[in-house]
Amino acid sequence: MTASKRIVLSSDHAAIQHRQAVAAHIAAKGWEVVDIGPTTPESTHYPKHGEAAARRVASGDCQLGIILCGTGQGIMMAANKVKGIRCGVCTDTFSARMIREHNDANMLSLGARVVGEGLALDIVDAFLAARFEGGRHAPRVEMIKALEG
C-alpha cells in the first residue's frame, strides 16, 4: 500500500482508548493504520510520541497523522517542532475541516479528556474528508513553511 493511504497514530497513556477507537474506525474506512502508541497505561511522555508520529509523516512514510494526549495540546506542540509538519488541535468538525482546506494540515491532534469518543470519530472523519483548497491559501502555507528555516 502506498503512503497515500497510510496514517500514523500515536498517543500518550491518557489517550490509549481513544487512539484505539480511532484506529479501528479509520481502518474500517480503508486506511492502513500504523499505530505506534503505547498499549499499557503506565505514564509516558507525550513529546516523544508526538515527535515519532510527526517524523513518519515528514519522511513520507505516512500521508497523515493523528495524535492524542489528555488535551491534545502538548503532543501537538511536539509534533509541530518537526520540519514539514502542520498539526492542529481540534475540538469540533468545522476546525478539523478548515485546518486541511486552508492550512494544508498533515496531522490532527485530539484531547481525550476534552472530546468524547463519538465526537473524536466525527472530527477524524471531517479531517480525512477535507482537501487543501490551494488558491489564496497556498501563499500562506508557503509563509508557514518558510518559518521552518
Side-chain angles (χ1 to χ4, degrees):
M1 187 169 281
T2 66
S4 66
K5 288 297 285 183
R6 282 172 57 95
I7 188 166
V8 63
L9 272 67
S10 194
S11 72
D12 68 359
H13 58 281
I16 292 171
Q17 183 175 338
H18 267 43
R19 188 190 78 241
Q20 291 171 338
V22 168
H25 181 73
I26 60 179
K29 294 180 177 288
W31 285 84
E32 178 185 355
V33 176
V34 180
D35 188 339
I36 61 170
T39 57
T40 60
E42 290 80 28
S43 182
T44 187
H45 303 294
Y46 59 80
K48 73 177 189 174
H49 298 289
E51 177 192 8
R55 293 214 181 277
R56 293 279 186 116
V57 174
S59 74
D61 178 51
C62 294
Q63 178 192 10
L64 298 170
I66 300 175
I67 52 179
L68 305 91
C69 68
T71 64
Q73 299 292 343
I75 200 165
M76 177 270 302
M77 290 178 191
N80 277 325
K81 296 295 183 181
V82 175
K83 186 175 182 172
I85 297 303
R86 288 171 308 286
C87 182
V89 175
C90 294
T91 58
D92 60 88
T93 58
F94 177 78
S95 296
R97 191 176 83 243
M98 297 311 288
I99 65 170
R100 292 275 285 147
E101 291 179 0
H102 289 193
N103 310 117
D104 198 20
N106 48 17
M107 292 187 73
L108 168 67
S109 185
L110 297 167
R113 295 177 178 152
V114 178
V115 298
E117 187 177 297
L119 178 55
L121 299 180
D122 288 346
I123 291 168
V124 166
D125 286 345
F127 179 78
L128 294 178
R131 299 290 178 264
F132 182 51
E133 291 179 353
R136 66 186 171 99
H137 305 292
R140 297 169 185 153
V141 172
E142 290 304 315
M143 292 171 75
I144 293 170
K145 291 178 182 178
L147 294 172
E148 295 175 336

